Structure formats: structure tokens, C-alpha cells
Amino acid sequence: MPANAQIYNTLSKELEEKQVTLIAVSKKKSVQEILELYNFGQRDFGENYVQELVEKREVLPEDIRWHFIGHLQTNKVKEVSSFIHLIHSVDSLKLLKEINKQAIKNNSVTACLLQVHIASEESKFGFNEEELQEAIDQFLNTEFYNVKINGLMGMASFSSDQEAIKMEFNSLKLLFEKYSKIKTTNFDLTILSMGMSSDYKIAIDEGSNMVRIGSLIFGARD
Ligand SMILES: *Cc1c(COP(=O)(O)O)cnc(C)c1O
């Protein structure tokens, strides 16, 4: 199914006016579908699987900014380290340590978001509030000079309860405000990545400045 030009144009205009960055989530979508959206002007794409990302990147334009949004295994970091624009899904200090190690090899600094568990479902990855505090404390005491923490990411529950979703996003917004007060060379929160196809409007109302949208633009995934 081709990307929907009209939906894309309306959405990107709406988000631009609100100064919200659109990440087009292209997991399970073909190179042709991505190119089509690229030709509409989209440059930020999000992928969930390392192998799929690496294969697509090889054949797609070099000026695409690739965002990693899925669960990242430590042993896969080296495959994306040299080119990844932003890793949204950092959920352990162990992973950060590996991202730092690979970035040193590439003589680069890798931009990261810390993923926070805000949903009521058990299955989602991410730090809870207590773990987040602990991870930030530890990070500020490490010498991970090749990692930069730029913000927070979270996913709300898969629910039709709009009020519950709003409260979950609000809890992440409050954490974002709290930790934005800390500013160091490698820790400076400016990005709040929250909101997907079904809940991005609520997320923006709650302060999101980066949304990750797949099915609304590309159509449902198989
Ligand atoms: C798949 C995915 C999205 C996009 O979901 P849609 O409902 O298709 O918009 C956003 N964020 C993450 C982390 C995802 O895995």
C-alpha cells in the first residue's frame, strides 16, 4: 500500500506548526514505500530491528536520519553505531556503556534518549521512575564521554481510555521537566519523544516535541 500523500502533507504541516518533529516509523515497510515518503520530503525515519535497518540503509539515500526505536540488544550496537542519528530506546546502563564503547571506536558521540516505562502493561521496556533516577545518577558519575543523553521516550498503554493515556504522558512530561534542569556536556534533555498514530494528539497536548508515527502514514502493517 503506497504512503498516503494527503495524510502525510496534512500531518507534517500540523506538526511543523507545533514545532514537533515527525519520525516516520518504517518497520516492515519496503524500500519503495520509504523512498516514496522521502520524495515527499520526509528525512527522519524510525526502525525497530537492526538487521532490517542495516539492509534498508544500504540502498536508501544517505541524507536520511535513522532513528532506532525498538529494543536494542547490546551485541547489535556495533552494527548501527557508525550512522545512527538517535537511539530512542536506551533502557539500561549496560546498553549505554556499549553504545559509548562503540562510539569511541567510531570517534563519534551517539545521541540517546532514555526510555521510560509509563504504560500499565507489563511487557513494555523502559526504566521505572526509581530506576531512571538511579540510571541518571550513575550516568552523571561515569565517564561516558561518547554518549549524549538528549531526552526521554515513552509509550502509553494500548488503551481506548484517553484519560489514562493522558495521565501516562503527563507522568513522562513531569520527569522530563524535572531532569531538564540538569545540564552537563553529556546530559541535556531537550527531546520528549512520545506519541504514535493512535495517541499523538494527546501526547502533543501533554508536551511531546517528537512523535513516532507509522501506520497512520504508511497504512497498517502486515
Ligand atoms: C511501531 C512503533 C511506533 C509506531 O506505531 P504506529 O502505531 O504504527 O504509529 C512508534 N514507536 C515505537 C516504539 C514503535 O515500536
Side-chain angles (χ1 to χ4, degrees):
M1 183 173 154
N4 188 314
Q6 203 187 334
I7 290 179
Y8 175 74
N9 288 332
T10 308
L11 179 66
S12 54
K13 207 168 144 210
E14 174 193 348
L15 296 177
E16 205 177 300
E17 279 166 8
K18 294 181 172 164
Q19 292 178 298
V20 173
T21 304
L22 170 62
I23 312 304
V25 175
S26 48
K27 64 179 170 223
K28 306 216 170 112
K29 296 295 166 184
S30 68
V31 163
Q32 285 70 30
E33 287 169 296
I34 295 172
L35 256 187
E36 195 179 5
L37 206 61
Y38 177 91
N39 289 329
F40 296 160
Q42 181 66 23
R43 290 295 178 272
D44 290 278
F45 288 87
E47 288 281 342
N48 289 58
Y49 309 101
V50 169
Q51 195 56 37
E52 187 180 337
L53 167 57
V54 168
E55 284 171 14
K56 285 173 175 175
R57 177 181 173 262
E58 268 176 24
V59 295
L60 281 160
E62 288 217 356
D63 63 343
I64 289 182
R65 293 182 290 269
W66 292 106
H67 296 248
F68 199 83
I69 64 169
H71 181 63
L72 182 56
Q73 287 174 281
T74 310
N75 62 354
K76 297 279 173 71
V77 173
K78 58 177 174 300
E79 297 182 48
V80 300
S81 174
S82 65
F83 67 84
I84 203 75
H85 181 69
L86 180 63
I87 300 175
H88 291 229
S89 45
V90 173
D91 59 1
S92 73
L93 214 66
K94 180 174 161 244
L95 180 58
L96 264 183
K97 190 175 174 183
E98 178 64 17
I99 294 170
N100 189 63
K101 183 179 154 190
Q102 297 302 330
I104 291 171
K105 286 191 195 166
N106 296 313
N107 195 22
S108 63
V109 176
T110 302
C112 295
L113 308 181
L114 300 177
Q115 183 173 354
V116 185
H117 181 122
I118 53 171
S120 55
E121 291 112 6
E122 284 287 331
S123 63
K124 304 254 172 74
F125 293 101
F127 297 105
N128 65 32
E129 282 195 34
E130 206 176 309
E131 293 164 343
L132 181 69
Q133 175 74 59
E134 210 175 299
I136 290 173
D137 286 343
Q138 287 185 36
F139 178 77
L140 294 172
N141 282 307
T142 61
E143 298 187 340
F144 290 174
Y145 299 125
N146 292 66
V147 168
K148 184 159 185 197
I149 310 288
N150 283 323
L152 302 179
M153 181 273 241
M155 291 166 85
S157 298
F158 290 113
S159 164
S160 53
D161 184 346
Q162 309 283 296
E163 201 52 40
I165 293 172
K166 187 178 148 86
M167 279 168 65
E168 289 170 3
F169 284 142
N170 186 257
S171 71
L172 187 55
K173 165 72 188 284
L174 294 177
L175 291 171
F176 178 73
E177 284 177 344
K178 174 179 173 185
Y179 293 113
S180 307
K181 295 189 182 113
I182 303 171
K183 304 265 179 220
T184 74
T185 312
N186 295 77
F187 188 96
D188 185 359
L189 306 190
T190 57
I191 298 171
L192 182 53
S193 169
M194 59 183 197
M196 314 180 10
S197 293
S198 60
D199 57 19
Y200 77 92
K201 288 191 180 172
I202 308 174
I204 293 170
D205 284 344
E206 293 306 313
S208 169
N209 58 22
M210 186 173 276
V211 293
R212 310 174 311 273
I213 297 184
S215 46
L216 183 66
I217 304 171
F218 286 111
R221 287 178 294 275
D222 299 330

XYZ file of all heavy atoms in Angstrom, residues 60-146:
714
model
N 19.244 3.055 0.505
C 18.459 4.297 0.560
C 19.372 5.528 0.627
O 20.558 5.409 0.925
C 17.494 4.241 1.748
C 16.230 3.407 1.474
C 15.552 2.956 2.752
C 15.252 4.194 0.588
N 18.829 6.716 0.305
C 19.664 7.933 0.278
C 20.408 8.186 1.595
O 19.894 7.904 2.673
C 18.648 9.044 0.017
C 17.505 8.381 -0.673
C 17.435 6.996 -0.098
N 21.591 8.732 1.468
C 22.482 8.931 2.616
C 22.026 10.016 3.573
O 22.463 10.044 4.710
C 23.891 9.297 2.110
C 24.611 8.132 1.485
C 26.098 8.160 1.805
O 26.550 9.131 2.443
O 26.787 7.210 1.404
N 21.184 10.919 3.088
C 20.786 12.013 3.982
C 19.571 11.670 4.846
O 19.046 12.526 5.556
C 20.570 13.318 3.202
C 19.438 13.221 2.197
O 19.018 12.094 1.853
O 18.966 14.288 1.756
N 19.152 10.424 4.833
C 18.100 10.010 5.775
C 18.692 9.962 7.181
O 19.799 9.476 7.389
C 17.519 8.624 5.395
C 16.681 8.745 4.124
C 16.689 8.038 6.549
C 16.018 7.443 3.684
N 17.944 10.512 8.133
C 18.339 10.421 9.551
C 17.603 9.223 10.154
O 16.381 9.241 10.263
C 17.965 11.722 10.285
C 18.776 12.933 9.810
C 18.424 14.201 10.578
N 17.088 14.689 10.256
C 16.805 15.571 9.288
N 17.776 16.082 8.547
N 15.560 15.958 9.059
N 18.385 8.225 10.519
C 17.798 6.993 11.048
C 17.690 7.030 12.570
O 18.662 7.313 13.257
C 18.640 5.783 10.629
C 18.579 5.517 9.154
C 19.557 5.764 8.240
C 17.480 4.955 8.425
N 19.136 5.396 6.980
C 17.865 4.893 7.063
C 16.205 4.495 8.779
C 17.021 4.393 6.063
C 15.366 4.007 7.778
C 15.782 3.957 6.442
N 16.504 6.725 13.037
C 16.233 6.679 14.481
C 16.002 5.233 14.873
O 15.216 4.540 14.222
C 14.976 7.487 14.816
C 15.099 8.950 14.526
N 15.129 9.897 15.516
C 15.228 9.622 13.353
C 15.253 11.103 14.971
N 15.315 10.964 13.655
N 16.659 4.789 15.923
C 16.395 3.437 16.400
C 15.388 3.513 17.534
O 15.639 4.155 18.559
C 17.674 2.719 16.843
C 17.452 1.242 16.893
C 17.541 0.477 15.743
C 17.060 0.629 18.068
C 17.257 -0.880 15.758
C 16.770 -0.731 18.092
C 16.878 -1.489 16.939
N 14.241 2.844 17.362
C 13.158 2.990 18.347
C 12.763 1.672 19.010
O 11.938 1.659 19.919
C 11.908 3.650 17.718
C 11.305 2.768 16.615
C 12.246 5.031 17.147
C 9.932 3.250 16.149
N 13.328 0.554 18.559
C 12.969 -0.743 19.134
C 13.914 -1.137 20.251
O 14.850 -0.405 20.587
N 13.682 -2.298 20.811
C 14.580 -2.770 21.856
C 15.930 -3.112 21.229
O 15.997 -3.850 20.263
C 13.988 -4.005 22.544
C 14.854 -4.521 23.645
N 15.127 -3.770 24.772
C 15.547 -5.668 23.772
C 15.935 -4.460 25.546
N 16.217 -5.616 24.967
N 16.992 -2.533 21.782
C 18.329 -2.723 21.195
C 19.142 -3.668 22.064
O 19.364 -3.412 23.246
C 19.029 -1.361 21.059
C 20.413 -1.350 20.423
C 20.418 -1.978 19.030
C 20.947 0.094 20.338
N 19.587 -4.763 21.441
C 20.427 -5.711 22.174
C 21.863 -5.209 22.163
O 22.348 -4.684 21.154
C 20.361 -7.087 21.512
C 19.048 -7.800 21.738
C 19.000 -9.087 20.933
O 18.754 -9.075 19.738
N 19.257 -10.200 21.596
N 22.532 -5.408 23.278
C 23.901 -4.923 23.437
C 24.819 -5.398 22.300
O 25.599 -4.612 21.762
C 24.457 -5.412 24.794
O 23.496 -5.094 25.796
C 25.754 -4.711 25.141
N 24.662 -6.662 21.924
C 25.567 -7.200 20.899
C 25.280 -6.692 19.479
O 26.015 -6.986 18.549
C 25.564 -8.739 20.934
C 24.199 -9.321 20.619
O 23.212 -8.594 20.472
N 24.123 -10.628 20.504
N 24.216 -5.897 19.324
C 23.873 -5.350 18.000
C 24.282 -3.891 17.841
O 24.176 -3.322 16.752
C 22.356 -5.466 17.766
C 21.812 -6.882 17.731
C 22.039 -7.505 16.360
C 21.670 -8.977 16.321
N 20.230 -9.212 16.394
N 24.744 -3.291 18.934
C 25.038 -1.859 18.895
C 26.071 -1.535 17.812
O 25.949 -0.547 17.088
C 25.531 -1.352 20.279
C 25.998 0.098 20.209
C 24.441 -1.502 21.331
N 27.063 -2.399 17.689
C 28.146 -2.107 16.741
C 27.665 -2.009 15.287
O 28.290 -1.350 14.475
C 29.274 -3.135 16.860
C 28.896 -4.579 16.647
C 30.163 -5.443 16.731
C 29.889 -6.924 16.675
N 29.020 -7.417 17.761
N 26.535 -2.628 15.000
C 26.035 -2.600 13.624
C 25.383 -1.272 13.237
O 25.238 -0.970 12.057
C 25.048 -3.750 13.402
C 25.713 -5.111 13.568
C 24.763 -6.266 13.302
O 24.070 -6.227 12.272
O 24.718 -7.180 14.132
N 24.967 -0.514 14.229
C 24.291 0.750 13.911
C 25.059 1.990 14.374
O 24.752 3.116 13.973
C 22.851 0.800 14.501
C 21.993 -0.328 13.934
C 22.861 0.741 16.030
N 26.066 1.747 15.198
C 26.753 2.847 15.866
C 27.302 3.925 14.925
O 27.225 5.114 15.228
C 27.896 2.264 16.708
O 28.670 3.295 17.248
N 27.831 3.509 13.790
C 28.529 4.467 12.926
C 27.590 5.472 12.251
O 28.025 6.521 11.816
C 29.327 3.728 11.855
O 28.425 3.045 11.013
N 26.308 5.141 12.155
C 25.435 6.037 11.381
C 24.166 6.486 12.096
O 23.476 7.369 11.621
C 25.043 5.350 10.065
C 24.157 4.139 10.239
C 22.780 4.289 10.367
C 24.700 2.859 10.287
C 21.957 3.174 10.541
C 23.873 1.743 10.461
C 22.511 1.907 10.584
N 23.844 5.880 13.249
C 22.527 6.139 13.837
C 22.408 7.603 14.292
O 23.328 8.164 14.875
C 22.228 5.148 14.990
C 20.727 5.010 15.215
C 22.952 5.514 16.280
C 20.017 4.185 14.161
N 21.281 8.218 13.987
C 21.090 9.635 14.329
C 20.673 9.796 15.787
O 21.147 10.691 16.490
C 20.029 10.235 13.406
C 19.766 11.683 13.643
N 20.690 12.654 13.340
C 18.695 12.327 14.182
C 20.180 13.839 13.674
N 18.986 13.673 14.195
N 19.772 8.917 16.235
C 19.292 8.994 17.617
C 18.746 7.623 18.034
O 17.954 7.027 17.309
C 18.174 10.049 17.719
C 17.532 10.298 19.080
C 18.540 10.845 20.083
C 16.356 11.287 18.950
N 19.188 7.157 19.194
C 18.650 5.907 19.750
C 17.630 6.296 20.817
O 17.982 6.906 21.826
C 19.772 5.030 20.352
C 20.807 4.668 19.279
C 19.173 3.763 20.990
C 22.034 3.904 19.798
N 16.358 5.960 20.561
C 15.277 6.384 21.474
C 15.085 5.428 22.643
O 14.344 5.748 23.566
C 13.934 6.405 20.723
C 13.794 7.458 19.680
N 12.709 8.297 19.592
C 14.600 7.821 18.662
C 12.842 9.111 18.571
N 13.985 8.846 17.968
N 15.658 4.246 22.545
C 15.214 3.141 23.389
C 16.284 2.626 24.354
O 16.395 1.424 24.562
C 14.746 2.011 22.471
O 15.678 1.831 21.413
N 17.033 3.536 24.943
C 18.056 3.095 25.899
C 17.383 2.769 27.225
O 16.727 3.617 27.826
C 19.140 4.175 26.096
C 20.096 3.766 27.204
C 19.888 4.414 24.793
N 17.518 1.521 27.656
C 16.805 1.105 28.861
C 17.699 0.422 29.895
O 17.206 -0.219 30.815
C 15.602 0.216 28.515
C 16.019 -1.035 27.765
O 17.231 -1.219 27.526
O 15.136 -1.826 27.418
N 19.011 0.550 29.737
C 19.908 0.058 30.791
C 21.259 0.765 30.700
O 21.640 1.271 29.638
C 20.117 -1.454 30.676
O 20.944 -1.758 29.565
N 21.954 0.771 31.815
C 23.281 1.373 31.851
C 24.279 0.507 31.070
O 25.219 1.018 30.468
C 23.731 1.536 33.305
C 24.588 2.775 33.552
C 23.789 4.042 33.347
C 25.185 2.758 34.934
N 24.010 -0.776 31.072
C 24.841 -1.721 30.336
C 24.812 -1.388 28.828
O 25.840 -1.403 28.151
C 24.295 -3.139 30.584
C 25.031 -4.240 29.897
C 24.486 -5.601 30.358
C 24.846 -6.691 29.376
N 23.675 -7.289 28.724
N 23.632 -1.077 28.347
C 23.483 -0.699 26.941
C 24.207 0.627 26.661
O 24.909 0.766 25.661
C 21.984 -0.594 26.589
C 21.627 -0.211 25.153
C 22.214 -1.190 24.148
C 20.101 -0.151 24.991
N 24.059 1.568 27.554
C 24.744 2.862 27.398
C 26.254 2.676 27.328
O 26.947 3.331 26.545
C 24.443 3.761 28.591
C 23.325 4.778 28.460
C 23.251 5.600 29.729
C 23.507 5.679 27.251
N 26.736 1.785 28.170
C 28.164 1.520 28.228
C 28.670 0.981 26.884
O 29.716 1.391 26.374
C 28.432 0.502 29.347
C 29.877 0.314 29.682
C 30.031 -0.615 30.875
C 31.510 -0.902 31.106
N 31.709 -1.843 32.200
N 27.888 0.091 26.299
C 28.251 -0.476 24.999
C 28.134 0.577 23.885
O 28.985 0.626 22.983
C 27.352 -1.686 24.698
C 27.600 -2.335 23.349
C 28.984 -2.953 23.190
O 29.660 -3.177 24.219
O 29.388 -3.208 22.029
N 27.110 1.407 23.946
C 26.959 2.476 22.950
C 28.171 3.407 23.023
O 28.740 3.810 22.010
C 25.638 3.265 23.178
C 24.422 2.364 22.929
C 25.579 4.494 22.277
C 23.078 2.955 23.356
N 28.593 3.692 24.249
C 29.776 4.536 24.452
C 31.027 3.882 23.861
O 31.821 4.532 23.168
C 29.953 4.780 25.949
C 31.023 5.813 26.246
O 30.896 6.964 25.860
N 32.076 5.392 26.924
N 31.162 2.602 24.121
C 32.335 1.857 23.643
C 32.433 1.866 22.111
O 33.508 2.110 21.539
C 32.233 0.415 24.162
C 33.393 -0.484 23.814
C 33.171 -1.875 24.422
C 33.906 -2.937 23.632
N 33.493 -4.284 24.077
N 31.294 1.632 21.472
C 31.288 1.616 20.004
C 31.504 3.014 19.439
O 32.155 3.178 18.405
C 29.983 1.008 19.471
C 29.775 -0.448 19.848
C 30.899 -1.372 19.372
O 31.542 -1.125 18.336
N 31.165 -2.425 20.127
N 30.964 4.013 20.109
C 31.143 5.393 19.649
C 32.611 5.814 19.740
O 33.111 6.532 18.870
C 30.256 6.335 20.458
N 33.289 5.331 20.764
C 34.724 5.624 20.890
C 35.463 5.074 19.660
O 36.274 5.765 19.054
C 35.301 5.022 22.191
C 34.747 5.766 23.416
C 36.846 5.083 22.196
C 35.070 5.123 24.763
N 35.112 3.851 19.280
C 35.745 3.243 18.101
C 35.512 4.070 16.840
O 36.360 4.129 15.955
C 35.171 1.834 17.864
C 35.660 0.797 18.827
C 35.246 -0.583 18.316
C 35.384 -1.629 19.405
N 34.687 -2.883 19.032
N 34.321 4.664 16.747
C 33.987 5.477 15.565
C 34.394 6.927 15.731
O 34.097 7.747 14.872
C 32.478 5.444 15.315
C 31.984 4.072 14.979
O 32.571 3.390 14.154
N 30.919 3.644 15.630
N 35.018 7.217 16.865
C 35.400 8.596 17.163
C 34.208 9.542 17.010
O 34.286 10.582 16.352
C 36.554 8.998 16.233
C 37.226 10.263 16.715
O 37.133 10.618 17.896
N 37.885 10.970 15.804
N 33.072 9.135 17.592
C 31.860 9.941 17.470
C 31.139 10.010 18.817
O 31.576 9.399 19.791
C 30.935 9.320 16.421
O 30.534 8.032 16.844
N 30.075 10.770 18.835
C 29.233 10.841 20.028
C 27.831 10.389 19.611
O 27.271 10.916 18.645
C 29.178 12.275 20.597
C 28.210 12.361 21.776
C 30.574 12.728 21.024
N 27.277 9.403 20.298
C 25.958 8.887 19.923
C 24.871 9.527 20.783
O 24.929 9.492 22.014
C 25.913 7.351 20.071
O 26.933 6.785 19.248
C 24.564 6.797 19.629
N 23.889 10.119 20.106
C 22.765 10.757 20.786
C 21.748 9.710 21.209
O 21.401 8.821 20.426
C 22.108 11.772 19.864
N 21.294 9.818 22.461
C 20.393 8.803 23.024
C 19.248 9.437 23.804
O 19.391 10.526 24.366
C 21.155 7.923 24.017
S 22.471 6.934 23.301
N 18.145 8.716 23.860
C 17.049 9.037 24.772
C 16.920 7.881 25.753
O 17.172 6.730 25.392
C 15.722 9.193 24.009
C 15.697 10.138 22.807
C 14.293 10.166 22.198
C 16.139 11.541 23.194
N 16.530 8.191 26.968
C 16.263 7.138 27.940
C 14.787 6.764 27.830
O 13.913 7.636 27.838
C 16.586 7.621 29.362
C 18.047 8.038 29.598
C 18.222 8.577 31.014
C 19.003 6.880 29.337
N 14.529 5.476 27.695
C 13.146 5.013 27.587
C 12.560 4.765 28.967
O 13.133 4.044 29.782
C 13.073 3.737 26.740
C 11.636 3.271 26.537
C 11.515 2.112 25.569
O 12.494 1.703 24.935
N 10.319 1.574 25.448
N 11.415 5.376 29.200
C 10.755 5.256 30.496
C 9.467 4.452 30.341
O 8.705 4.661 29.396
C 10.441 6.655 31.083
C 9.857 6.533 32.483
C 11.682 7.531 31.092
N 9.258 3.543 31.259
C 8.048 2.713 31.250
C 6.912 3.492 31.894
O 6.904 3.709 33.104
C 8.325 1.422 32.031
C 7.179 0.490 32.060
N 7.258 -0.794 31.593
C 5.910 0.649 32.490
C 6.080 -1.379 31.746
N 5.249 -0.520 32.298
N 5.963 3.926 31.053
C 4.832 4.691 31.601
C 3.517 3.938 31.456
O 2.515 4.316 32.041
C 4.706 6.087 30.937
C 4.651 5.969 29.413
C 5.853 6.992 31.380
C 4.300 7.283 28.717
N 3.501 2.875 30.642
C 2.262 2.140 30.369
C 1.919 1.208 31.524
O 2.777 0.841 32.323
C 2.402 1.339 29.088
N 0.652 0.827 31.570
C 0.243 -0.102 32.630
C 0.589 -1.546 32.268
O 0.709 -2.395 33.133
C -1.257 0.035 32.902
O -1.971 -0.146 31.701
N 0.772 -1.827 30.970
C 1.123 -3.192 30.568
C 2.522 -3.551 31.062
O 3.421 -2.723 31.078
C 1.106 -3.349 29.037
C -0.276 -3.265 28.430
C -0.457 -2.013 27.596
O 0.521 -1.271 27.408
O -1.595 -1.769 27.154
N 2.681 -4.824 31.387
C 3.954 -5.318 31.901
C 5.028 -5.414 30.829
O 6.197 -5.284 31.091
C 3.757 -6.719 32.504
C 3.080 -6.730 33.864
C 3.986 -6.235 34.961
O 5.205 -6.403 34.820
O 3.474 -5.678 35.950
N 4.595 -5.689 29.588
C 5.533 -6.136 28.557
C 6.473 -5.061 28.012
O 7.464 -5.374 27.386
C 4.745 -6.740 27.403
O 3.924 -5.747 26.837
N 6.166 -3.809 28.225
C 6.966 -2.758 27.600
C 8.317 -2.583 28.298
O 8.440 -2.707 29.502
C 6.199 -1.430 27.649
C 4.830 -1.511 27.016
C 4.788 -0.815 25.671
C 3.492 -1.052 24.944
N 2.376 -0.313 25.502
N 9.312 -2.235 27.492
C 10.641 -1.987 28.041
C 10.718 -0.591 28.647
O 9.867 0.241 28.423
C 11.682 -2.108 26.920
C 11.811 -3.496 26.379
C 11.207 -3.865 25.176
C 12.534 -4.455 27.089
C 11.325 -5.157 24.684
C 12.656 -5.749 26.606
C 12.049 -6.104 25.396
N 11.762 -0.342 29.393
C 11.995 1.007 29.898
C 12.213 1.036 31.400
O 11.870 0.103 32.109
N 12.809 2.133 31.850
C 13.056 2.340 33.281
C 11.766 2.735 33.978
O 10.971 3.490 33.416
C 14.029 3.522 33.479
C 15.407 3.327 32.909
C 15.788 3.976 31.742
C 16.335 2.523 33.564
C 17.081 3.831 31.233
C 17.627 2.374 33.067
C 18.001 3.029 31.899
N 11.569 2.295 35.210
C 10.532 2.930 36.012
C 11.159 4.167 36.671
O 12.353 4.417 36.499
C 9.902 1.955 37.025
C 10.895 1.483 38.082
O 11.800 2.233 38.466
N 10.729 0.262 38.551
N 10.378 4.922 37.409
C 10.878 6.205 37.934
C 12.118 6.048 38.800
O 13.069 6.821 38.707
C 9.783 6.899 38.749
C 8.746 7.572 37.872
C 7.878 8.548 38.656
O 8.382 9.199 39.599
O 6.702 8.637 38.307
N 12.051 5.039 39.630
C 13.158 4.792 40.557
C 14.432 4.390 39.801
O 15.528 4.906 40.066
C 12.737 3.657 41.482
C 13.393 3.629 42.834
C 12.767 2.490 43.653
O 11.528 2.439 43.740
O 13.530 1.649 44.158
N 14.253 3.498 38.852
C 15.393 3.054 38.032
C 15.959 4.194 37.200
O 17.174 4.277 36.968
C 14.955 1.923 37.089
C 14.590 0.630 37.798
C 13.798 -0.312 36.909
O 13.249 0.121 35.871
O 13.690 -1.496 37.273
N 15.074 5.074 36.755
C 15.524 6.221 35.950
C 16.438 7.116 36.780
O 17.521 7.511 36.334
C 14.312 7.011 35.447
C 14.633 8.218 34.569
C 15.184 7.779 33.211
C 13.386 9.090 34.356
N 15.978 7.402 37.992
C 16.785 8.228 38.898
C 18.164 7.596 39.124
O 19.202 8.265 39.036
C 16.057 8.370 40.247
C 16.846 9.100 41.325
C 16.907 10.602 41.077
O 15.868 11.270 40.997
N 18.106 11.146 40.925
N 18.137 6.309 39.352
C 19.377 5.575 39.613
C 20.302 5.610 38.383
O 21.500 5.863 38.501
C 19.004 4.124 39.929
C 19.939 3.407 40.861
C 19.361 2.032 41.173
O 18.249 1.977 41.742
O 20.007 1.040 40.824
N 19.700 5.386 37.219
C 20.496 5.368 35.981
C 21.099 6.739 35.709
O 22.263 6.857 35.300
C 19.620 4.928 34.808
N 20.314 7.789 35.952
C 20.818 9.143 35.714
C 21.941 9.471 36.703
O 22.994 9.979 36.313
C 19.673 10.185 35.776
C 18.753 10.001 34.551
C 20.223 11.614 35.821
C 17.492 10.837 34.553
N 21.737 9.123 37.967
C 22.787 9.328 38.968
C 24.081 8.640 38.537
O 25.163 9.222 38.592
C 22.369 8.763 40.334
C 21.337 9.637 41.028
O 21.186 10.810 40.613
O 20.676 9.145 41.964
N 23.923 7.398 38.122
C 25.111 6.638 37.726
C 25.755 7.231 36.477
O 26.967 7.343 36.389
C 24.751 5.168 37.490
C 24.474 4.435 38.797
C 24.240 2.943 38.556
O 24.860 2.340 37.693
N 23.330 2.361 39.308
N 24.905 7.602 35.513
C 25.440 8.178 34.272
C 26.249 9.441 34.570
O 27.338 9.643 34.020
C 24.308 8.507 33.293
C 24.808 9.135 32.022
C 25.406 8.359 31.042
C 24.716 10.505 31.812
C 25.896 8.917 29.867
C 25.205 11.085 30.651
C 25.801 10.283 29.681
N 25.712 10.279 35.451
C 26.396 11.547 35.757
C 27.723 11.315 36.475
O 28.574 12.207 36.516
C 25.476 12.456 36.584
C 24.216 12.939 35.840
C 23.272 13.661 36.786
C 24.561 13.821 34.649
N 27.892 10.110 37.001
C 29.147 9.776 37.678
C 30.090 8.933 36.827
O 31.115 8.479 37.299
C 28.844 9.030 38.973
C 28.400 9.998 40.053
O 29.077 10.976 40.329
N 27.237 9.745 40.623
N 29.709 8.679 35.586
C 30.569 7.878 34.711
C 31.355 8.800 33.797
O 31.161 10.012 33.804
C 29.752 6.919 33.823
O 28.894 7.717 33.017
C 28.980 5.926 34.641
N 32.181 8.194 33.010
C 32.925 8.988 32.035
C 32.564 8.521 30.640
O 33.415 8.189 29.826
C 34.421 8.889 32.338
C 34.709 9.454 33.723
C 36.184 9.547 34.060
O 36.981 8.852 33.413
O 36.510 10.321 34.966
N 31.258 8.459 30.382
C 30.775 8.062 29.062
C 30.746 9.295 28.160
O 29.694 9.818 27.834
C 29.364 7.465 29.176
C 29.295 6.126 29.856
C 28.055 5.557 30.123
C 30.430 5.420 30.213
C 27.949 4.318 30.745
C 30.339 4.184 30.837
C 29.090 3.640 31.099
N 31.933 9.742 27.766
C 32.011 10.988 27.012
C 31.519 10.852 25.576
O 31.329 11.830 24.883
C 33.457 11.509 26.997
C 33.986 11.813 28.374
C 35.166 11.226 28.834
C 33.314 12.701 29.202
C 35.657 11.506 30.100
C 33.794 12.985 30.471
C 34.971 12.384 30.917
O 35.445 12.655 32.166
N 31.324 9.618 25.114
C 30.905 9.432 23.723
C 29.416 9.108 23.580
O 28.967 8.634 22.547
C 31.783 8.373 23.051
C 33.210 8.871 22.895
O 33.915 9.087 23.885
N 33.635 9.084 21.668
